[in-house]
């Protein structure tokens, strides 16, 4: 215990000494967050102050209408797992709330489509509000509150579905019905909204709130519970334009990351009532002095007609704001290394997608009982990185990312040593997965579609042993190239280098043998990362 306390005391001091005089990024606030994360060994905190949700919540409400006052559950039905009930335990409206609850263990195995049987969930629980063809055309936003009370759940979300069943499609609308996945913070009220200006909403049949059971992570408890309250429709001023490339009214669209020196620098505006003789200015945000005056030009492209602000000739490093009439952007940077912030944040995202490794606040060590079997041999398929949209895994996709990280390391090692070192470490994590999925005869564990968490215990009901295994010329050529590039790049482990050279030659030979037999065009699995590769 004394040693642990001493470490907790020393680490912040060490971080200050080690990194206090070293530039990590172009943003001091981001620098501090990177240090506090242990150089991205835990996720960076989210800055919700600059989010779409924060800006959207500030829009002026012109009118509103209560959709469900939650005094009772009149008009509500339930389907799927668990049940709904009226609750006074949690409430925003003061009238109680709808409680949606179910157990996290069904006692049954998942069952998906025959083409991909493990791409499935354990089912869902759905609360439906029947609206009998209501007309919502006077409103462009739906607002509601959700309180998740989900024991041990670190990632919590819920689906909102809207169903319009008019007999005819009206011009000007993109769709009649749709779904929206809502990310939530556990154990607190979340104010949520969805702008519906582009939905046809002249005959709303129903809306529903649903939660999907995706198995249990290590900390997940035995029950899931959501409280839903205070659902209302709103008419807001100046709704966002969702489809197309035209900015919203009185909006300036610019590179929030910034602009490189001696490179094109443009922004787009929909000036609305802020036309100032087609002129714009750049303001130095440090002293509020005007440093550039420009004239708006009009360009017509295949995407539309745009008002373009071009300030490419501004090549003095600094922090600036674009001003058009009463409109002014937040500050952005013009400089040499403006993309370093994005590199850190992208690397943070990749780390958060790690499979088989505990990611603080997201999941524990996961999917160790996800396995591939070939010729009587069995390997765990935990490793690499999850797919961005679910828990699926693709070995070749991990290979692509690993190669990109190694390229980034080589480009950065003489410019930003700490960022480069962290790129190399993450590349080595991906490389380990590439090596571990080899069966040594040309075959590799290649992919699996997955939506659930597993218990991490072998020979239990949720084990999955259907990871795809294949021997493709195209894939092995790429693996050989990635292994060879890693051997040329990673010079701190001579024995690893020696091994990489050997297996790169082996995988290249496997690829040549397969290519002589059948050529490149063996893209046989629809769900494989390489399926849509052009044979040219």
């Amino acid at each position: 215990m004394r040693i642990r306390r001493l470490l907790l005391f020393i680490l912040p001091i060490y971080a200050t000494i080690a990194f206090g005089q070293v530039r990590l990024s172009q943003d001091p606030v981001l620098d501090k967050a990177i240090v506090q994360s242990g150089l991205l060994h835990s996720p960076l905190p989210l800055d919700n102050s600059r989010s779409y949700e924060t800006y959207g919540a500030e829009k002026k409400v012109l009118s509103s209408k209560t959709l469900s006052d939650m005094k009772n559950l009149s008009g509500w039905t339930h389907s799927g797992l668990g049940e709904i009930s009226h609750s006074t335990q949690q409430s925003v409206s003061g009238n109680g709330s709808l409680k949606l609850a179910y157990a996290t263990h069904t006692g049954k195995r998942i069952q998906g489509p025959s083409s991909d049987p493990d791409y499935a969930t354990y089912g869902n629980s759905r609360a439906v509000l029947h609206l009998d063809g209501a007309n919502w055309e006077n409103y462009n936003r739906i607002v509601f509150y959700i309180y998740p009370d989900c024991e041990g759940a670190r990632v919590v979300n819920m689906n909102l579905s809207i169903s319009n069943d008019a007999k005819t499609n009206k011009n000007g609308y993109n769709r009649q019905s749709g779904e929206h996945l809502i990310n939530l913070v556990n154990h607190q009220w979340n104010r949520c909204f969805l702008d519906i200006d582009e939905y046809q909403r002249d005959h709303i049949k129903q809306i529903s709130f649903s939660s999907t059971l995706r198995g249990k992570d290590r900390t997940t408890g035995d029950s899931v519970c959501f409280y839903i309250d205070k659902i209302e429709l709103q008419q807001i001023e100046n709704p966002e334009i969702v489809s197309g490339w035209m900015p919203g009214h009185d909006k300036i669209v610019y590179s929030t990351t910034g602009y490189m020196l001696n490179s094109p620098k443009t922004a787009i505006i929909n000036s609305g009532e802020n036309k100032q003789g087609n002129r714009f200015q750049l303001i130095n945000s440090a002293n509020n002095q005007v440093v550039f005056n420009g004239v708006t030009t009009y360009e017509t492209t295949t995407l539309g007609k745009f008002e373009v602000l071009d300030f490419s000739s501004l090549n003095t490093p600094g922090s600036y704001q674009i001003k058009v009439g009463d409109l002014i952007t937040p500050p952005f940077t013009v400089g040499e290394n403006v993309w370093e912030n994005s590199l850190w944040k992208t690397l943070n995202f990749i780390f958060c997608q790690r499979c088989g490794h505990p990611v603080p606040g997201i999941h524990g060590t996961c999917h160790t009982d996800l396995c591939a079997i070939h010729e009587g041999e069995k390997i765990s398929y935990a490793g690499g990185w999850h797919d961005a949209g679910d828990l699926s895994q693709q070995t070749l996709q991990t290979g692509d990312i690993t190669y990109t990280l190694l390229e980034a390391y080589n480009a950065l090692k003489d410019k930003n040593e700490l960022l480069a070192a962290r790129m190399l470490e993450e590349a080595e994590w991906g490389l380990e997965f590439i090596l571990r999925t080899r069966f040594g005869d040309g075959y590799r564990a290649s992919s699996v579609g997955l939506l659930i968490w597993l218990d991490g215990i072998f020979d239990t009901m949720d084990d999955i042993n259907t990871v795809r295994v294949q021997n493709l010329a195209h894939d092995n050529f790429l693996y050989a190239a990635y292994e060879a590039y890693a051997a040329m790049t990673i010079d701190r482990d001579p024995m690893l280098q020696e091994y990489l050279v050997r297996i790169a030659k082996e995988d290249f030979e496997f690829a040549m043998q397969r290519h002589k037999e059948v050529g490149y065009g063996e893209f046989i699995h629809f769900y494989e990362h390489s399926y849509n590769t052009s044979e040219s």
Side-chain angles (χ1 to χ4, degrees):
M1 181 60 74
R2 289 180 180 176
I3 293 174
R4 181 173 179 271
R5 287 175 180 170
L6 182 62
L7 285 173
L8 290 174
F9 176 75
I10 290 174
L11 282 174
I13 299 174
Y14 169 76
T16 301
I17 295 171
F19 307 133
Q21 304 301 320
V22 177
R23 175 183 57 79
L24 298 175
S25 71
Q26 299 297 308
D27 181 353
V29 176
L30 178 59
D31 278 9
K32 183 177 179 181
I34 292 168
V35 170
Q36 290 176 337
S37 73
L39 281 186
L40 303 188
H41 291 93
S42 63
L44 292 175
L46 294 175
D47 182 6
N48 292 316
S49 67
R50 299 165 63 183
S51 69
Y52 165 81
E53 288 80 6
T54 297
Y55 291 135
E58 297 171 351
K59 292 198 173 185
K60 184 178 181 180
V61 179
L62 304 176
S63 62
S64 63
K65 173 187 175 181
T66 299
L67 195 59
S68 180
D69 61 13
M70 293 303 177
K71 290 180 180 178
N72 54 55
L73 298 187
S74 176
W76 289 91
T77 61
H78 175 265
S79 64
L81 303 169
E83 61 182 7
I84 62 171
S85 60
H86 183 260
S87 174
T88 57
Q89 184 177 346
Q90 295 284 353
S91 180
V92 173
S93 63
N95 299 323
S97 58
L98 180 148
K99 179 181 179 181
L100 176 72
Y102 60 90
T104 56
H105 184 66
T106 64
K108 299 178 181 178
R109 185 175 173 81
I110 58 169
Q111 186 173 356
S114 58
S115 61
D116 201 9
D118 292 314
Y119 195 72
T121 68
Y122 292 97
N124 60 46
S125 184
R126 185 181 301 270
V128 182
L129 177 59
H130 300 272
L131 295 163
D132 303 323
N135 189 308
W136 286 6
E137 291 179 311
N138 290 331
Y139 305 95
N140 55 20
R141 173 177 282 186
I142 181 170
V143 184
F144 46 91
Y145 290 79
I146 301 177
Y147 186 106
D149 190 10
C150 304
E151 181 186 351
R154 290 181 272 196
V155 177
V156 182
N157 50 56
M158 202 171 205
N159 262 313
L160 167 68
S161 301
I162 299 176
S163 177
N164 193 78
D165 66 346
K167 294 181 180 179
T168 58
N169 295 328
K170 285 190 172 184
N171 290 331
Y173 296 103
N174 287 326
R175 62 184 65 194
Q176 289 209 30
S177 304
E179 291 195 3
H180 181 59
L181 182 67
I182 310 154
N183 290 316
L184 301 167
V185 180
N186 205 2
H187 302 315
Q188 72 177 49
W189 279 108
N190 296 256
R191 181 183 184 274
C192 311
F193 65 83
L194 177 65
D195 289 353
I196 55 175
D197 195 52
E198 294 189 17
Y199 282 98
Q200 184 174 330
R201 50 196 186 280
D202 56 340
H203 201 263
I204 300 292
K205 178 183 178 181
Q206 64 185 37
I207 64 169
S208 67
F209 295 88
S210 63
S211 174
T212 301
L213 179 52
R214 301 181 185 275
K216 295 179 67 171
D217 181 30
R218 178 179 297 153
T219 62
T220 307
D222 296 327
S223 64
V224 171
C225 182
F226 294 91
Y227 298 90
I228 303 167
D229 194 11
K230 201 176 180 181
I231 307 172
E232 68 177 21
L233 299 172
Q234 292 181 347
Q235 177 72 19
I236 60 167
E237 190 175 59
N238 194 15
E240 296 292 329
I241 296 176
V242 176
S243 301
W245 294 95
M246 181 62 65
H249 296 296
D250 290 336
K251 286 289 183 66
I252 303 172
V253 177
Y254 65 103
S255 173
T256 56
T257 297
Y259 299 85
M260 293 284 288
L261 294 176
N262 303 307
S263 69
K265 304 175 188 67
T266 59
I268 299 171
I269 185 173
N270 185 350
S271 57
E273 302 300 321
N274 275 278
K275 294 186 184 295
Q276 299 290 316
N278 296 332
R279 303 197 67 81
F280 70 94
Q281 297 176 324
L282 257 69
I283 311 296
N284 186 322
S285 60
N287 56 24
N288 293 320
Q289 297 297 308
V290 176
V291 297
F292 186 91
N293 287 283
V295 178
T296 303
T297 59
Y298 293 86
E299 294 187 21
T300 300
T301 74
T302 56
L303 301 176
K305 185 176 181 179
F306 302 98
E307 301 171 71
V308 179
L309 316 177
D310 192 323
F311 50 99
S312 299
S313 60
L314 178 69
N315 283 304
T316 302
S319 178
Y320 301 97
Q321 296 169 271
I322 302 171
K323 188 176 189 299
V324 182
D326 297 331
L327 303 177
I328 188 166
T329 67
F332 57 86
T333 300
V334 173
E336 290 185 346
N337 300 299
V338 296
W339 295 108
E340 280 186 347
N341 293 359
S342 297
L343 289 172
W344 280 110
K345 292 174 183 178
T346 302
L347 186 58
N348 173 71
F349 171 76
I350 294 173
F351 166 73
C352 290
Q353 295 297 121
R354 277 193 183 188
C355 174
H357 182 278
V359 181
I362 297 180
H363 62 73
T365 303
C366 60
H367 297 114
T368 51
D369 47 340
L370 172 65
C371 296
I373 299 175
H374 171 66
E375 299 291 340
E377 296 181 344
K378 184 176 182 179
I379 60 173
S380 170
Y381 198 59
W385 302 283
H386 292 134
D387 187 47
D390 50 36
L391 300 173
S392 299
Q393 260 290 26
Q394 303 259 358
T395 308
L396 189 58
Q397 199 166 29
T398 289
D400 293 344
I401 296 168
T402 299
Y403 174 59
T404 302
L405 288 168
L406 290 172
E407 281 195 313
Y409 163 74
N410 282 324
L412 290 164
K413 61 186 178 183
D414 296 325
K415 300 176 182 178
N416 188 328
E417 292 183 16
L418 288 172
L419 176 56
R422 188 60 187 81
M423 288 279 187
L424 179 60
E425 179 190 6
E426 201 64 25
E428 288 173 330
W429 172 258
L431 182 63
E432 171 63 23
F433 186 64
I434 296 170
L435 302 182
R436 188 155 48 80
T437 53
R438 291 180 84 246
F439 282 101
D441 59 354
Y443 284 83
R444 239 192 188 89
S446 61
S447 72
V448 66
L450 198 63
L451 292 167
I452 63 170
W453 301 103
L454 304 178
D455 63 14
I457 304 171
F458 288 97
D459 300 323
T460 59
M461 187 182 65
D462 70 349
D463 284 8
I464 292 177
N465 298 308
T466 55
V467 174
R468 285 179 280 270
V469 176
Q470 58 185 11
N471 174 15
L472 301 187
H474 171 273
D475 291 16
N476 276 329
F477 277 129
L478 287 177
Y479 290 131
Y482 297 160
E483 290 154 358
Y485 189 79
M488 292 188 295
T489 300
I490 303 173
D491 57 6
R492 61 186 181 187
D493 189 342
M495 296 303 101
L496 176 62
Q497 280 184 300
E498 186 176 293
Y499 177 69
L500 286 168
V501 170
R502 176 165 65 82
I503 66 166
K505 292 178 180 179
E506 288 179 4
D507 286 343
F508 185 82
E509 185 57 33
F510 291 137
M512 288 297 294
Q513 290 174 3
R514 193 66 180 168
H515 178 54
K516 290 176 183 177
E517 294 170 6
V518 297
Y520 285 119
E522 280 191 289
F523 306 116
I524 52 180
H525 289 298
F526 176 78
Y527 302 108
E528 285 288 339
H529 178 51
S530 58
Y531 181 79
N532 288 319
T533 302
S534 166
E535 291 192 19
S536 65

